[in-house]
Amino acid sequence: MRRPDTSDAPAAVDADAANGDFHPFERIEGDAASGLLLICDHASNALPARYGTLGLPPAELERHIGYDIGGAGVTRALASALDCPAVLSHFSRLLIDPNRGEDDPTLVMRLSDGAIVPGNRHADAAEIDYRLDHFHRPYHRAIAAEIARMNAAGVAPAIFSVHSFTPVWRGSPRPWHVALLWDADPRLARPLIEGLEAEGDLIVGDNEPYDGALKNDCLYRHGTATGLAHALIEIRQDLIADLDGQIAWADRLARLLPGILANGDLHERQLFGSRTGPVTPLDLPELTAA
């Protein structure tokens, strides 16, 4: 595989950019008819200049609390391998978490894995609304626009969200190499779990170390509520901390995903509901097929 650019510089300029040259998302070009859209919610630990380091020592932003280590590299390498589009956030989850609903109490974290975030301590409703308008919402608009572009090409995309998790949490080692998180729609998650297990060298989690049923999170918004097939992968961070590991995991996924995506069922809008409770279907422009 060609070694992708894994720098934090955005690949495309966002018309909603705030704070000078800071752009809330990165868009990677890909074939609109590929049937797969990659997203990476926690791709970057970047912060706009006005926020400094949110009062944290810079080393704290290099930890998992700042971003999903290795996630962006895997996303870029996989997009290159499959010629599919991708949308990556370009701001730290500590600024505002794009994988949380706008009403989620953890949207702006004041304490994360033992670290007090001074720059968030006094974030009031007006400040949170500013961050929603300039960072969170532009990222989600970018995802919606990519879905609309792919739908216009005649293929409803499956959405694949790339995340990573820490090898140890609160002193307890996590045994899984990789896991798939999903809510009620099994179309992408179940066959990928089976494919990864068949590789023979992995401990594969099913809704580990977190549950994929989270009301109003990114995949709930763009998948559960719209009927598009979707799944979230969690890869253990020590396996993708460097470029070689990121490419190896992208290679592995690039072997497995095309066969799964060949199932036409993954490219139909189907509402499976949610384990979190009743779902109000969303009638969004990106669902209108050409």
Side-chain angles (χ1 to χ4, degrees):
M1 179 188 292
R2 177 173 61 85
R3 294 170 77 85
D5 175 17
T6 60
S7 71
D8 284 335
V13 174
D14 170 29
D16 292 301
N19 305 297
D21 292 331
F22 190 90
H23 306 290
F25 66 84
E26 171 186 349
R27 176 179 174 269
I28 296 175
E29 290 282 355
D31 183 1
S34 65
L36 180 65
L37 173 61
L38 304 180
I39 61 175
C40 190
D41 299 323
H42 301 144
S44 175
N45 60 358
L47 289 165
R50 66 180 284 165
Y51 292 100
T53 62
L54 289 172
L56 291 166
E60 288 290 272
L61 293 173
E62 298 296 329
R63 296 203 298 130
H64 70 96
I65 65 172
Y67 71 124
D68 276 359
I69 295 165
V74 173
T75 303
R76 294 189 185 105
L78 186 56
S80 176
L82 298 181
D83 189 23
C84 65
V87 178
L88 300 82
S89 71
H90 194 241
F91 54 89
S92 174
R93 66 200 299 174
L94 291 178
L95 181 67
I96 190 166
D97 194 334
N99 194 34
R100 295 293 182 269
E102 295 191 7
D103 59 349
D104 193 303
T106 65
L107 184 66
V108 174
M109 294 289 286
R110 291 163 172 79
L111 177 68
S112 183
D113 192 18
I116 295 172
V117 187
N120 291 344
R121 185 180 301 169
H122 302 298
D124 58 13
E127 171 62 23
I128 291 172
D129 199 50
Y130 179 89
R131 298 186 194 186
L132 284 167
D133 278 343
H134 290 89
F135 308 106
H136 191 282
R137 290 168 183 152
Y139 173 69
H140 286 282
R141 284 197 295 269
I143 294 172
E146 203 60 45
I147 292 170
R149 185 178 77 91
M150 298 179 80
N151 244 24
V155 181
I159 308 172
F160 191 53
S161 182
V162 180
H163 288 242
S164 66
F165 66 96
T166 57
V168 177
W169 179 251
R170 295 181 178 176
S172 297
R174 289 162 155 175
W176 314 281
H177 298 99
V178 62
L180 269 294
L181 275 57
W182 57 291
D183 187 350
D185 182 347
R187 289 176 290 171
L188 182 54
R190 286 304 316 165
L192 189 50
I193 289 171
E194 293 165 5
L196 289 165
E197 288 176 337
E199 298 268 283
D201 61 343
L202 299 172
I203 300 173
V204 183
D206 183 348
N207 276 320
E208 299 285 359
Y210 316 107
D211 193 326
L214 180 61
K215 192 172 182 66
N216 294 328
D217 71 355
C218 189
L219 286 182
Y220 186 102
R221 175 174 179 165
H222 297 286
T224 299
T226 67
L228 294 177
H230 56 282
L232 186 155
I233 191 167
E234 289 271 7
I235 306 170
R236 208 173 67 200
Q237 287 172 358
D238 58 312
L239 305 177
I240 54 172
D242 59 25
L243 184 56
D244 287 340
Q246 293 158 19
I247 291 175
W249 269 92
D251 278 341
R252 190 189 291 262
L253 293 170
R255 291 198 307 268
L256 296 173
L257 283 168
I260 296 170
L261 293 167
N263 182 352
D265 186 53
L266 269 76
H267 305 292
E268 298 175 358
R269 182 184 177 192
Q270 297 183 35
L271 295 170
F272 286 81
S274 171
R275 290 184 282 115
T276 66
V279 177
T280 301
L282 298 183
D283 185 15
L284 300 175
E286 64 264 28
L287 297 177
T288 303

